Amino acid sequence: MSAKTNDPAQRREQAIRFLGSAYYQKAHEFSDILTATFPPVSPGAATIRAAEAVRLVFDAFSQRFDLKCRVWKLAPRNPLYQATMAHNRLFNPGLPGKTEVLGFEPDWQRSSADPMPGSIRNARTGS
């Protein structure tokens, strides 16, 4: 998408159209690992990395999620780093080259949701 145009507005519109369609309806194609970008040499990212484990709490679609996660800094050669940067540059082409990307891997045995979706319930029971 980003190679098709240099116009950030067109890139953003194409990305929203693509991501707003059936893209997110294929949960089985996604990694469990969540990622987040931080400015270069971010004190916040350093604090999170030092903790090694974090708790992510958020609400989405009438569900509350409480995820216990292992955290680490992703190297630029990591495919998750590259995918995160490509995705975020669709919406923010000015993202610095030395942007830090952290990965958050949920511990499904220690995580919860209300109401509990089938994917977490199945991960806990092994079915």
Side-chain angles (χ1 to χ4, degrees):
M1 279 181 237
S2 62
K4 289 182 180 179
T5 179
N6 288 327
D7 181 357
Q10 285 182 349
R11 253 196 317 262
R12 182 178 184 278
E13 184 179 321
Q14 290 172 357
I16 289 171
R17 194 175 320 124
F18 175 71
L19 298 172
S21 63
Y23 181 77
Y24 287 115
Q25 304 306 316
K26 302 172 186 172
H28 64 280
E29 294 181 7
F30 287 86
S31 167
D32 284 357
I33 298 171
L34 303 159
T35 61
T37 59
F38 295 84
V41 195
S42 165
T47 299
I48 293 169
R49 280 195 329 269
E52 296 182 10
V54 297
R55 181 177 169 215
L56 303 178
V57 180
F58 60 95
D59 295 305
F61 304 107
S62 301
Q63 286 183 300
R64 181 171 182 81
F65 295 88
D66 187 339
L67 305 179
K68 309 292 193 287
C69 299
R70 191 178 110 208
V71 61
W72 68 93
K73 181 178 177 179
L74 298 174
R77 68 182 175 279
N78 185 300
L80 289 172
Y81 177 100
Q82 294 171 10
T84 300
M85 292 297 290
H87 175 272
N88 288 354
R89 281 198 172 121
L90 289 172
F91 301 97
N92 181 5
L95 209 56
K98 298 218 182 236
T99 295
E100 290 190 44
V101 178
L102 299 185
F104 301 87
E105 181 178 12
D107 178 344
W108 295 115
Q109 300 298 321
R110 297 177 51 227
S111 297
S112 64
D114 183 26
M116 183 76 74
S119 60
I120 293 177
R121 187 173 34 252
N122 293 342
R124 285 186 170 173
T125 63
S127 35

